Amino acid sequence: MKLNTIDLHSHSTYSDGTLTPEELLCAARKIGLQALALTDHDTVAGIPDFLQAAVRYPEVAAIPGVEISTLCSGRELHIIGLFLDHENPGLLDFLNDLQLKRRRRNERLAEKLAALGYAADLEAVSKQAKGKIIGRPHFAEHLLKNYDFANAREVFDKLLKRDAPAYVGRPLPFPEAAIEVIRRAGGIAVWAHPIYRRSKERSWCRRILRRLVPAGLDAIEAYYPQFDESQTRIIRELAAEFGIALAGGSDYHGAHQPDISLGTGYGELRVPAEILPELQRRRGDKIREN
Ligand code: AMP
Ligand code: MN
Ligand code: MN
Ligand code: MN
């Protein structure tokens, strides 16, 4: 089956997804995706596995990526890197620092949960993670298994989300720093899920783009499970206004977000393969610039 569809945003067991990189590629082939990007949070440790497995799935173009959480004007903003060199020393240093801060956050989170009466020993929490990235979804999974919660969302709402009693923040870099490190590693920088909570935020997006496009932002996610047609249209218009490319993907996390499917999101998502050449062209331009 050929859908002429791609997915440029997915998570594996190397961060907070539940499929391995190879299982992701296998699933991508099954549904006929032409390209898949692996974009684990704060790590490229899954990329060697991903690229090795990709040899067995030649129908799917495997794009190495990463997703970096940043802080921008008081809000969390996620920058995805695509087509990057996962062995670039500057990138690895940058990610190592984020991982250290994440580990410290996790220790404090475990303590806070303990104080609230929830045992969440880090070793037990990390059980299903393949790599060093332990995130709140792993805590949610552990608490769901051992305490009386209906689903992971409820654990987030009652304990883990921002302003909930067990929440612990971590220091985040500025988006400009993430963009620079991605570009120096030969990648292109994408603003992930630019609109939140189903609201239309054209003016906020415009303000952020005025800051990030001069800093080197290459693209913006116009296709995302939570976006309706009007939101996708707004993003497409803003991309045209600022002269940046379109990207998009399902943000698939496997069983951690069971209502989201690879490639199709809630069922309606379709990221057209036609956006890929422009992203590749921008990457090619940059390689010539360097
Ligand atoms: P962390 O990077 O460890 O702080 O965890 C953030 C991750 O938790 C995100 O990448 C999502 O996968 C997940 N997440 C964040 N907020 C929620 C929420 N309200 N419900 C379910 N999952 C969430
Ligand atoms: Mn996640
Ligand atoms: Mn994100
Ligand atoms: Mn993501």
Side-chain angles (χ1 to χ4, degrees):
M1 183 177 52
K2 266 274 178 292
L3 284 170
N4 218 23
T5 304
I6 59 176
D7 191 330
L8 302 180
H9 189 163
S10 72
H11 297 274
S12 77
T13 42
Y14 281 89
S15 68
D16 56 359
T18 58
L19 297 191
T20 64
E22 167 145 28
E23 287 166 343
L24 283 172
L25 282 164
C26 183
R29 176 170 70 184
K30 211 174 277 170
I31 58 173
L33 291 180
Q34 291 182 6
L36 174 70
L38 179 64
T39 56
D40 276 314
H41 297 283
D42 300 347
T43 187
V44 287
I47 302 299
D49 263 12
F50 185 58
L51 296 179
Q52 256 168 41
V55 177
R56 294 186 287 280
Y57 301 87
E59 308 88 338
V60 186
I63 300 167
V66 70
E67 181 175 17
I68 299 174
S69 308
T70 74
L71 195 67
C72 186
S73 298
R75 274 165 79 159
E76 206 172 306
L77 186 145
H78 293 183
I79 300 286
I80 284 181
L82 297 175
F83 305 110
L84 36 74
D85 168 14
H86 63 283
E87 292 174 343
N88 178 273
L91 174 69
L92 294 174
D93 277 354
F94 188 85
L95 297 177
N96 274 334
D97 179 57
L98 296 180
Q99 289 167 21
L100 180 72
K101 287 168 177 156
R102 179 181 277 280
R103 277 199 292 281
R104 288 195 193 126
R105 189 279 312 260
N106 288 344
E107 283 161 14
R108 288 185 51 209
L109 176 52
E111 285 165 15
K112 227 168 165 181
L113 283 168
L116 289 162
Y118 299 97
D121 170 62
L122 269 181
E123 205 171 307
V125 169
S126 345
K127 241 186 203 144
Q128 50 151 344
K130 214 176 153 82
K132 290 194 282 183
I133 303 299
I134 307 305
R136 281 180 285 161
H138 297 108
F139 281 86
E141 195 65 26
H142 177 81
L143 293 169
L144 184 58
K145 228 175 266 160
N146 293 288
Y147 295 93
D148 193 22
F149 293 98
N151 49 41
R153 178 148 299 273
E154 191 184 282
V155 186
F156 267 89
D157 286 344
K158 291 200 168 146
L159 290 170
L160 301 177
K161 72 173 188 195
R162 208 175 172 150
D163 300 325
Y167 179 79
V168 182
R170 61 191 166 108
L172 297 176
F174 289 123
E176 288 88 345
I179 291 170
E180 188 186 342
V181 84
I182 287 165
R183 297 190 106 205
R184 280 178 189 266
I188 61 170
V190 181
W191 181 8
H193 42 74
I195 296 179
Y196 284 96
R197 300 186 198 94
R198 296 192 171 275
S199 61
K200 295 179 184 150
E201 299 187 279
R202 195 192 291 263
S203 62
W204 188 77
C205 280
R206 194 177 270 127
R207 189 153 63 82
I208 300 300
L209 287 171
R210 273 197 211 110
R211 173 173 159 183
L212 297 188
V213 172
L217 188 76
D218 298 282
I220 184 167
E221 276 188 343
Y223 306 93
Y224 195 71
Q226 276 85 354
F227 291 178
D228 59 25
E229 264 174 48
S230 75
Q231 290 169 320
T232 290
R233 200 185 58 243
I234 289 173
I235 303 295
R236 293 178 59 125
E237 287 167 8
L238 286 167
E241 184 182 327
F242 284 86
I244 57 174
L246 302 176
S250 64
D251 206 357
Y252 181 68
H253 281 74
H256 278 156
Q257 281 168 34
D259 44 350
I260 303 257
S261 301
L262 188 72
T264 54
Y266 292 112
E268 312 279 282
L269 182 72
R270 182 182 166 279
V271 184
E274 293 80 49
I275 66 172
L276 199 51
E278 174 61 14
L279 295 167
Q280 285 163 328
R281 189 187 68 71
R282 282 172 190 260
R283 175 209 185 200
D285 284 356
K286 208 138 58 235
I287 290 169
R288 278 190 293 281
E289 263 171 40
N290 284 343

